[in-house]
Amino acid sequence: MDRKDPLDKIRNIGIVAHIDAGKTTTTERVLFYTGRTYKIGEVDEGTATMDWMVQEQERGITITAAATTCHWKNCRINVIDTPGHVDFTVEVERSLKVLDGAVVVFDAVNGVEPQSETVWRQADRYNVPRIAFVNKMDRPGADFDETINQMYTRLSANASAVQLPVLEDGSLVGMIDLVEQKMIKYKDDLGKEFEILPIPQEMLPRSNKARLLLLDKLSTVSEHIMEDFVSGKPIGPQLLREAIRKMVLKNHFVPVFCGSSLKNRGIQPLLDGVYEYLPSPLDVPAVKGMNPDTGEYEELTVSDSAPFCALCFKIVTDPYVGKLHYLRIYSGKVTPGAYIYNASQRERERITKLIQMHANRQEVIDIAFCGDIAAAVGLKEVKTGDTLCEEKSPILLEAMHFPEPVISQAIEPKTKSDQDKLGLALHKMEEEDPSFRVAYNHETGQTIISGMGQLHLDVIIDRILREFNVEANVGQPQVAYRETLTKKITSTGKFIQQSGGRGQYGHVVVEMGPPDEPGKGIVFEDKIKGGAIPREFIPAVKKGIIDSAKSGVLGGYPVTDVIVTLVDGSFHEVDSSELAFQMAASLAFKDGLRKASPVLLEPIMDMEVTVPEEFMGTVVGDLNSRRAKIATMSQRKNLRIIKAFVPLSEIFNYATVLRSITQGRASYTMEPSFYQEVPLHIAGKIAVRATSSR
Ligand SMILES: Nc1nc2c(ncn2[C@@H]2O[C@H](COP(=O)(O)OP(=O)(O)OP(=O)(O)O)[C@@H](O)[C@H]2O)c(=O)[nH]1
Ligand SMILES: [Mg+2]
C-alpha cells in the first residue's frame, strides 16, 4: 500500500509555551480552519477538543500532551498540543524528542515568560527548528516589538518579524505580510474570510523598516539576497521564503508571526508558515541509533522501504482498548498484526491494531508510514522510551531523560477492597507518566507517591479517585528528600544461618562511592573474579542493593548517586541461595551507607518573582530568610524581576506568603533545578521528623 501524503509534505510539530499563552486556543483554531472540526472548541467553556480530560476541562489548563492530524494546502500536519504548567514538563520533553519542528507561542502582553525560557531550552536541547507566534495581540498592553526584543535578550534568539499587526481602534483587524508585502485583512468574526490588500500608506514606513531588518538578517545566508540587497534591487517573495526556510532548518533564525487566537486572527498565515518554514521528516538530521549486537552507531534511513524503526514516547491507558502506545515512526512502515522487536527489552511483541489519534478520539488505520505519529494497541511490555524495530535489523535509539520528582505524599486505601484497586491504578499511572513514582515503605506500610509538584499529584489523586473508583486518604505533601554518600568505602554483608537443616549462606564484599557527577542514580558493577560468587547469584546481589536503596539510613528517603562495585564474597555449596545473597547485599549496602558519611539532599527550585518596585526590598528580605540564593535582579517596564535558587522546603505555600507581603501584586513561577546537600543543622531536624513520623 502506498502512502497518501508524500514525506516532504509532512510536518510533525509541537505547540509549546508558558502556561496560558494560548497553545490550546491556537490548536483549536488550527483544527477549525483545516476542517478537522466544524465548530471552534473553547478552553474557557471546557469544550476544547485537545483538552479532553475532565481535569483539563475543569481547570482550564492542559495536563497531557494531545496529538492530532490535519491537512493544510496539500500538507499533512501532525500536531501535538503540550501543557505549559511546569509540573507537566515531561509532556513537553517527550513531545520535543519526537517532533521535527515547533511553534512557540508568546503572550504579547507578558512577553517572554519563565516557562517560555524553559521550553526554548528544551527545544534547543533537541535541536528543534521553530517559528514564533505572538498571540493575544487583541489585549490592551500587547507589545509585538517588545516581545521580539525579549526573544533576543532573554532567549538569545535570532528572531525577526515576518508580519506586523494591524490594529484599528485597538482591535486587531489583520496583519502586514512582510514577505509578500501585502496586508491581510479579516472580514468576519470567525476569521474564515479575509482579503489581501496593498499595505496602507500610513503603515509603509514601519513595514519598510521591519522588512529591511528581515533582509539584513537573511542576507547573511543568501548570496542572492545579499547581492540584490546591496544593489537595491527588489527581492521577490519566493527568494525570501527559501532563505527563511534554509535558516530555520539550520536553527539559525526564528520568523515571528502575530495574531489573536481567541479572536480568530492570524492562524491561516501561521499554518502557511508551518508548511513553508518548518522541516519535513526528510529535512531533519538523520536519527542515529546503536546496533545492540555490534555496539556501532547507525543512521536510520527516512524511507518507507527501510527496516521499521519507531520510538514509543507515550503510553496512555484507554478504558476500552487497553494500553495505547504512541509511536513516532522514524523509518519503514508497520501494519496491524505485525510482530515487532523491542530492542530495549529484547522482546518480541505483536501489534494488534493501529490508531490515528485525534486528541482522545481514535481512528483505526491499516498502515502507518515512515514519519507518522500513530498509536499501537496490543503491546504489553513496551515502556516509554523503548525502541521498536525489526528483529533482523535491531537498533536502539537514544533514551529519553526524565526529571526526578520533588514532592511526595502518602496515600492509603480506605478499605481492604480499595487496596488492590489502588495498586492497579498507581501501576497504570506510573506506566503513563515517567515523572511519577510509587514506593512502598515496608517499615510503615505506607505507599508514597512522588511527582513534580502539588498540581501534578493533585491531578493524579483526582484521577485515581474518579477513573479508577478508589477511595483513599492522602497525607500532607512533603519535600521528596534523597540520601547519598560522600566517601568511598568497602563494606561486607553476611547472611549466614547454619543451625540444623538446610541453612542460609550469602557473603558479599562491595565498594561503594559517589559518581564523578550527580544524576547517575544507583549504578551496580560486577567485578567478581575467580568465581568467588557463582554467576547465578549476581542478579540477586543487584536486586538486594537496588531494593535497599529505596530507603536510606538517615530518614528512610530514597538513596541516589552511589556506584556499587561487587568485588568479593564467598558461597556455600548447599546453603547458598538467591535469597541469602539478596539479604547479604542489602546488609552490605545499608551498613556501607552508614559508614560512608551519608548526607541528605533536597530539591532546589529555580524561581522567578515579578514584583512592583516598592515591594522589592520586602520580597528580597523574605527570600533571604528562606535560604535563597539570589541570582539576578532585573527590570522589565516598571516591574522588578528577581531570579533566585531556593530550597523547596522553604517555599511550600509561597503563594500565600507572597500575596500577603505584596498585597497580591507580585507573581512567581518556579521549577525544580537540582538536588543539593541540606545544611547539617537542618538535616538533623528533618531526619528526626522523618523517623518519628514513620
Ligand atoms: N485575549 C486573549 N485571550 C486569549 C487568546 N488566546 C488564548 N486566550 C485565553 O488565554 C487563556 C489560556 O488559553 P489556553 O489556550 O488554554 O492556553 P494554553 O497555552 O493552552 O495553556 P496551558 O495548556 O494550560 O499551558 C484562556 O482563557 C484563553 O481564552 C488571545 O488571543 N487573546
Ligand atoms: Mg493548553
Side-chain angles (χ1 to χ4, degrees):
M1 200 182 311
D2 287 333
R3 57 184 314 138
K4 285 197 213 96
D5 305 286
L7 260 171
D8 66 334
K9 293 272 186 318
I10 291 200
R11 301 288 179 272
N12 289 311
I13 61 153
I15 315 273
V16 298
H18 185 90
I19 187 161
D20 266 0
K23 298 172 289 293
T24 306
T25 307
T26 306
T27 313
E28 294 298 319
R29 270 65 187 172
V30 166
L31 297 183
F32 179 68
Y33 298 124
T34 57
R36 244 289 134 220
T37 52
Y38 65 93
K39 191 169 176 287
I40 297 178
E42 294 291 3
V43 174
D44 304 316
E45 291 160 19
T47 55
T49 314
M50 301 307 279
D51 283 351
W52 55 271
M53 277 168 65
V54 253
Q55 286 79 4
E56 296 182 310
Q57 291 167 358
E58 284 174 0
R59 294 163 201 245
I61 57 163
T62 305
I63 290 167
T64 180
T68 189
T69 185
C70 55
H71 279 88
W72 181 250
K73 296 189 177 166
N74 295 332
C75 173
R76 173 165 168 179
I77 306 178
N78 298 318
V79 191
I80 297 188
D81 173 31
T82 65
H85 196 286
V86 45
D87 280 17
F88 311 113
T89 181
V90 70
E91 294 291 284
V92 182
E93 188 80 18
R94 55 173 155 203
S95 304
L96 286 173
K97 165 93 183 172
V98 298
L99 291 166
D100 301 321
V103 175
V104 188
V105 181
F106 295 88
D107 177 331
V109 178
N110 298 338
V112 174
E113 297 174 88
Q115 229 51 45
S116 327
E117 275 190 70
T118 306
V119 298
W120 198 268
R121 280 199 305 271
Q122 280 172 300
D124 278 343
R125 190 142 22 93
Y126 292 111
N127 228 344
V128 176
R130 62 212 90 149
I131 62 179
F133 181 61
V134 177
N135 187 33
K136 305 203 183 184
M137 281 307 305
D138 60 294
R139 284 183 62 192
D143 195 335
F144 184 58
D145 294 344
E146 171 58 18
T147 305
I148 300 183
N149 193 22
Q150 289 178 18
M151 286 183 212
Y152 286 121
T153 51
R154 295 191 71 175
L155 307 172
S156 314
N158 186 23
S160 195
V162 290
Q163 289 184 334
L164 291 180
V166 181
L167 296 149
E168 271 174 22
D169 301 329
S171 68
L172 184 76
V173 293
M175 46 273 310
I176 306 273
D177 180 337
L178 295 174
V179 175
E180 292 284 346
Q181 289 189 281
K182 294 273 189 252
M183 175 165 78
I184 301 163
K185 193 156 183 202
Y186 280 91
K187 290 168 76 176
D188 62 337
D189 285 350
L190 267 185
K192 281 178 98 166
E193 286 175 41
F194 51 85
E195 45 191 358
I196 309 287
L197 302 168
I199 300 176
Q201 203 61 34
E202 68 277 12
M203 283 206 70
L204 272 177
R206 188 164 168 226
S207 83
N208 285 342
K209 196 170 152 215
R211 194 165 194 266
L212 271 183
L213 205 68
L214 176 67
L215 290 178
D216 186 37
K217 297 220 156 159
L218 297 175
S219 58
T220 57
V221 275
S222 164
E223 272 177 35
H224 289 303
I225 290 186
M226 171 80 99
E227 281 165 19
D228 293 355
F229 188 45
V230 173
S231 64
K233 266 201 238 157
I235 297 166
Q238 193 50 31
L239 189 60
L240 260 183
R241 272 195 291 267
E242 279 166 20
I244 295 175
R245 178 171 183 81
K246 203 163 142 194
M247 266 176 98
V248 171
L249 294 190
K250 282 194 200 148
N251 243 322
H252 288 172
F253 180 63
V254 181
V256 188
F257 294 78
C258 62
S260 160
S261 300
L262 190 66
K263 304 280 181 196
N264 310 320
R265 300 288 181 255
I267 306 301
Q268 298 93 335
L270 180 68
L271 279 166
D272 287 344
V274 166
Y275 169 62
E276 300 277 3
Y277 305 135
L278 288 178
S280 80
L282 293 166
D283 300 315
V284 289
V287 174
K288 288 199 188 88
M290 190 188 74
N291 181 327
D293 297 338
T294 62
E296 302 276 321
Y297 278 85
E298 294 169 7
E299 278 188 2
L300 294 179
T301 313
V302 186
S303 156
D304 295 333
S305 52
F308 169 70
C309 178
L311 183 80
C312 168
F313 65 96
K314 186 176 165 82
I315 300 174
V316 172
T317 312
D318 182 274
Y320 304 106
V321 297
K323 270 190 278 181
L324 287 168
H325 286 80
Y326 283 57
L327 308 179
R328 160 74 203 251
I329 302 167
Y330 285 105
S331 75
K333 52 182 186 266
V334 66
T335 46
Y339 279 94
I340 48 99
Y341 181 63
N342 179 348
S344 312
Q345 316 281 348
R346 294 185 170 261
E347 273 167 347
R348 266 180 105 210
E349 288 209 47
R350 189 160 168 265
I351 291 178
T352 52
K353 223 193 225 184
L354 280 171
I355 285 171
Q356 183 71 63
M357 297 303 297
H358 299 290
N360 62 332
R361 252 193 47 237
Q362 304 170 2
E363 181 190 328
V364 175
I365 50 175
D366 43 24
I367 190 160
F369 294 101
C370 174
D372 282 352
I373 288 171
V377 179
L379 300 172
K380 293 192 178 68
E381 303 299 330
V382 176
K383 307 222 167 14
T384 306
D386 283 0
T387 310
L388 309 183
C389 54
E390 284 178 20
E391 196 161 4
K392 51 184 194 308
S393 318
I395 192 143
L396 268 174
L397 300 176
E398 194 199 350
M400 284 193 254
H401 302 286
F402 297 118
E404 289 293 323
V406 292
I407 280 193
S408 48
Q409 213 163 353
I411 182 162
E412 239 171 317
K414 278 201 180 145
T415 68
K416 198 91 190 110
S417 82
D418 287 317
Q419 193 157 3
D420 291 346
K421 281 199 283 182
L422 178 66
L424 189 74
L426 290 175
H427 177 69
K428 287 196 168 154
M429 293 289 164
E430 220 180 357
E431 228 170 29
E432 281 190 12
D433 183 349
S435 60
F436 172 68
R437 312 270 162 83
V438 183
Y440 185 71
N441 186 321
H442 288 277
E443 285 158 37
T444 60
Q446 267 182 330
T447 301
I448 309 285
I449 56 175
S450 318
M452 299 308 298
Q454 183 73 67
L455 180 63
H456 187 203
L457 292 185
D458 279 356
V459 167
I460 285 181
I461 291 165
D462 191 46
R463 285 186 62 191
I464 289 171
L465 306 185
R466 280 153 68 163
E467 271 172 50
F468 296 89
N469 244 331
V470 182
E471 298 262 340
N473 294 318
V474 288
Q476 285 298 318
Q478 313 270 345
V479 172
Y481 292 101
R482 312 196 142 221
E483 298 182 21
T484 192
L485 42 66
T486 53
K487 274 204 317 215
K488 198 167 172 197
I489 50 98
T490 303
S491 177
T492 303
K494 284 183 183 165
F495 187 71
I496 303 176
Q497 287 177 354
Q498 290 177 308
S499 49
R502 192 178 157 193
Q504 295 282 8
Y505 190 102
H507 167 210
V508 302
V509 182
V510 291
E511 283 173 7
M512 292 166 56
D516 295 337
E517 53 186 76
K520 290 277 188 296
I522 303 291
V523 181
F524 176 77
E525 290 170 352
D526 165 24
K527 290 209 177 136
I528 282 286
K529 289 202 188 77
I533 299 175
R535 290 283 103 211
E536 76 235 48
F537 295 129
I538 307 286
V541 174
K542 182 174 176 185
K543 184 166 189 312
I545 284 162
I546 302 285
D547 281 356
S548 71
K550 285 183 182 152
S551 103
V553 293
L554 294 176
Y557 297 107
V559 184
T560 188
D561 286 337
V562 184
I563 306 224
V564 187
T565 316
L566 178 62
V567 288
D568 204 0
S570 63
F571 70 105
H572 185 276
E573 285 293 350
V574 181
D575 292 347
S576 277
S577 65
E578 284 181 8
L579 185 69
F581 272 103
Q582 195 178 321
M583 292 298 292
S586 175
L587 292 170
F589 185 81
K590 281 268 153 71
D591 198 38
L593 265 188
R594 279 187 204 98
K595 288 196 292 195
S597 311
V599 289
L600 214 54
L601 300 175
E602 64 180 342
I604 306 293
M605 308 302 279
D606 184 349
M607 180 176 208
E608 185 173 313
V609 191
T610 307
V611 53
E613 172 105 53
E614 63 262 42
F615 295 108
M616 168 95 167
T618 320
V619 171
V620 170
D622 176 72
L623 282 175
N624 280 333
S625 74
R626 295 172 189 273
R627 296 195 278 133
K629 287 213 165 50
I630 310 277
T632 57
M633 292 199 248
S634 56
Q635 193 155 1
R636 205 181 302 149
K637 294 190 179 159
N638 50 357
L639 292 171
R640 293 298 180 101
I641 319 272
I642 307 161
K643 275 176 167 278
F645 292 100
V646 197
L648 175 61
S649 60
E650 301 284 344
I651 38 167
F652 253 75
N653 303 323
Y654 187 65
T656 327
V657 174
L658 191 64
R659 205 177 304 130
S660 78
I661 61 175
T662 64
Q663 297 164 12
R665 295 191 41 216
S667 64
Y668 78 101
T669 59
M670 63 178 184
E671 63 178 298
S673 188
F674 54 90
Y675 268 84
Q676 183 177 283
E677 201 176 315
V678 181
L680 213 57
H681 65 285
I682 295 170
K685 283 187 226 153
I686 297 167
V688 169
R689 207 168 57 221
T691 17
S692 62
S693 73
R694 276 158 205 259

